[in-house]
Amino acid sequence: VRLALEAAGADYIDVARGAQADGLGVPALRALLREAGGFNPQFAPPFLKDGRLLIGQTAAILLHLGERHRLAPKSTAGRLWTQQIQLTITDLVDEAHDVHHPVSSALYYEDQKVAAAQRATDFRQRRIPKYVGWFERILSGKTKAKHRLVGARLTYADLSLFQAVDGLRYAFPRAMKRILKGAPQVAAHHRATAERPRIVAYLASERRLPFNENGVFRHYPELDA
Ligand SMILES: N[C@@H](CCC(=O)N[C@@H](CS)C(=O)NCC(=O)O)C(=O)O
């Protein structure tokens, strides 16, 4: 979500990361989660407030931002294809989460390490290659704008693929080095997206949250190979 806002040059407030003294921070996020009256109840972050709209689920937020900031095609076919790719990336991110929390999100990783190791092997050997192979097919099938998943312009799906590949490289550096060798278009897409001026500026800023072991993409060396 942040990548889309940054790529669009949008004016936004990152509520959860703001200072409590300014009325922001986690308490403000929790208040929005409880928000009633005029807003749809939200299940989990992230969610975006845009005027009278409160939108949850990354894919739905990006559907909105894609339209608002021209980060998606206008045609029905193009919009649906972009959203299909996004939802597949959502599935991939969900599976990346389940590697370190295969039994329950309510348990610590340390309490489910045996199952995590099994899940990690399957994720590295079968699931990442299947997803990355699909992105490689999409990119390889394009005759023009080879560093874009959809059409000639940047879409939110490009930004999400960048984030997914970046996170997977952080979490599974050894496996990803091997997998990306066999997926040159995905590797080139990642480099090209990282070189866009607004993305360069964002990645170098404090607005970019470094990957860490509380997030979705976690680096536990014992889960990589
Ligand atoms: N599919 C959702 C996932 C959202 C999600 O997992 N949010 C996390 C924190 S970033 C959470 O609070 N989950 C609480 C829960 O699932 O109970 C999306 O793409 O936005």
Side-chain angles (χ1 to χ4, degrees):
V1 172
R2 292 189 188 96
L3 276 165
L5 292 165
E6 294 279 345
D11 200 12
Y12 72 96
I13 299 170
D14 194 339
V15 172
R17 296 190 66 210
Q20 288 192 35
D22 299 329
L24 302 172
V26 173
L29 177 98
R30 287 195 199 284
L32 277 171
L33 261 177
R34 286 192 304 265
E35 187 108 38
F39 287 109
N40 299 328
Q42 297 299 308
F43 182 76
F47 42 85
L48 177 84
K49 191 170 176 184
D50 184 1
R52 296 177 59 80
L53 291 172
L54 187 61
I55 313 163
Q57 287 284 2
T58 304
I61 295 168
L62 292 174
L63 190 67
H64 172 68
L65 291 178
E67 206 164 299
R68 203 180 190 301
H69 294 291
R70 296 189 64 201
L71 284 170
K74 284 207 171 84
S75 71
T76 302
R79 288 170 60 216
L80 285 171
W81 176 228
T82 309
Q83 181 69 183
Q84 177 181 339
I85 297 170
Q86 178 62 44
L87 287 167
T88 308
I89 295 170
T90 299
D91 288 346
L92 165 60
V93 173
D94 207 34
E95 290 189 34
H97 168 272
D98 288 354
V99 166
H100 50 80
H101 280 77
V103 178
S104 169
S105 296
L107 294 174
Y108 290 110
Y109 162 63
E110 285 69 23
D111 297 327
Q112 43 193 323
K113 285 180 89 162
V114 174
Q118 273 185 309
R119 187 75 186 247
T121 304
D122 181 71
F123 189 59
R124 290 191 320 264
Q125 294 183 353
R126 276 183 278 274
R127 301 303 291 167
I128 305 181
K130 183 165 182 176
Y131 282 107
V132 168
W134 185 64
F135 300 127
E136 185 73 10
R137 274 171 59 205
I138 297 173
L139 292 167
S140 303
K142 296 198 65 194
T143 46
K144 287 185 278 181
K146 280 187 158 294
H147 300 330
R148 311 266 190 286
L149 287 162
V150 182
R153 290 177 57 102
L154 182 84
T155 66
Y156 62 80
D158 290 306
L159 299 165
S160 296
L161 178 60
F162 166 80
Q163 176 72 3
V165 169
D166 222 42
L168 290 171
R169 283 187 1 165
Y170 170 80
F172 307 98
R174 291 160 64 105
M176 281 304 283
K177 196 169 176 195
R178 198 170 56 242
I179 292 165
L180 286 177
K181 265 196 191 137
Q185 297 301 329
V186 174
H189 175 279
H190 185 263
R191 283 194 299 275
T193 309
E195 283 168 6
R196 299 179 67 87
R198 281 178 175 166
I199 302 303
V200 170
Y202 166 61
L203 295 178
S205 76
E206 288 192 352
R207 300 188 302 283
R208 171 72 165 179
L209 196 58
F211 291 113
N212 62 76
E213 279 55 57
N214 294 313
V216 174
F217 297 105
R218 301 187 184 187
H219 178 55
Y220 295 124
E222 64 273 24
L223 299 184
D224 189 23

